[in-house]
Amino acid sequence: MNRDEVLRRVAALVDGTGATPTDAEVVTGGEICDAYRVTLDDGHTLFAKTRADSQDDFFVAEAEGLRRLHATGTVPVPRVLAADPGLLALEWIEGGSPTPEKAERLGRDLAALHATPAPHYGTAGPLYLGPVPLTTPTPAPTEPADWPAFHAEHRLLPLLRLAVDNGGISPGDTADVELLCDRIAEVAGPPQPPAHIHGDLWAGNIIWTERPHLIDPAAQGGHPEADLAFLEVSKCPHFDRLIAAYEEVRPLPGRADRAPLHLLHHVLIHAALFGGHYGPESGEVARAALVGGGAP
């Protein structure tokens, strides 16, 4: 979708409000969508993102994820203005620079989010990690003991199959990921009831306002350590202060040893979409998960 089409779509969105879009400026930072800062003639600013070949429910899923996070009352997110096939419009949030104090606030907010029970693992509606749809079985699993099998069968193995089909991972690394999936219950750590998680929380999905906002979720019932593992590996600014504040509220003994397990699905999706070094990294992370989790 080009700039003129974005302006036309946003004009239809705000029709009847007395405002007219006057400019759409490209915003960088995403991997799979085009993003724009749209200025209205009444002085307001919107954020619009588009994806030409997206499924009809692609942005609907993201909008629902933002609403789901907002409903927990724990983390700030942009307000959803519209979600249509091909376009998502949100309020514009003006960010600033990360600081240790903001990171500590985010750590406490994430601890509160992760302490909020979800009704089950996964979602009742559509869910995407990047452009890849994720599944939730029916009935959705609800018990802490269900998480390892759910994660292997509905998160790791589908992404592994996609990486294999796209030539993004070698047979040897594939075998190591499969071994981890076979033994995941041995390395999963303490039972974890389904909790609300962001689901795709890399450092680029934080807007560093005074109380940091979260964007671009794959929000679902899941394991909180997934959010923390991805934040850490993506070099979230002041992560040491963030995790210290988090663990003051919600201690996680042994978290560092389990981090490779919770990172793997993010590495696998990159292997599936981009190949390159992500295939060998997937095998390396799977092997680290087995060792860190204490598997013999």
Side-chain angles (χ1 to χ4, degrees), residues 27-33 35 47 49 62 66 69 75-78 88 90 93 95 106 110 113 128-130 197-209 211-219 226-227 230-231 234-237 242 266 270:
V27 178
T28 60
E31 292 181 328
I32 64 168
C33 294
F47 174 83
K49 63 190 298 188
E62 182 174 336
L66 288 167
L69 293 176
V75 291
V77 297
L88 176 68
L90 307 172
I93 303 295
L106 178 56
L110 285 175
L113 172 68
Y128 291 82
L129 183 61
I197 65 171
H198 178 282
D200 193 12
L201 193 53
W202 70 291
N205 282 345
I206 303 167
I207 301 177
W208 291 99
T209 49
R211 185 182 180 190
H213 283 60
L214 303 185
I215 58 173
D216 294 356
D227 283 348
F230 202 23
L231 271 181
S234 63
K235 302 187 185 306
C236 174
L242 184 156
H266 290 290
H270 282 77

Side-chain angles (χ1 to χ4, degrees), residues 18 102 108 130 136 165 178 181 225 228 230 232 237 265 268 289 294:
K102 292 177 184 178
R108 290 189 290 270
T136 299
D165 291 346
E178 290 174 335
C181 290
E225 292 179 35
L228 302 175
F230 202 23
E232 184 173 23
H265 70 296
L268 279 172

Side-chain angles (χ1 to χ4, degrees), residues 121 141-149 188-194 223:
Y121 298 107
T142 60
E143 297 300 319
D146 295 335
W147 180 80
Q192 169 62 53
H223 200 300

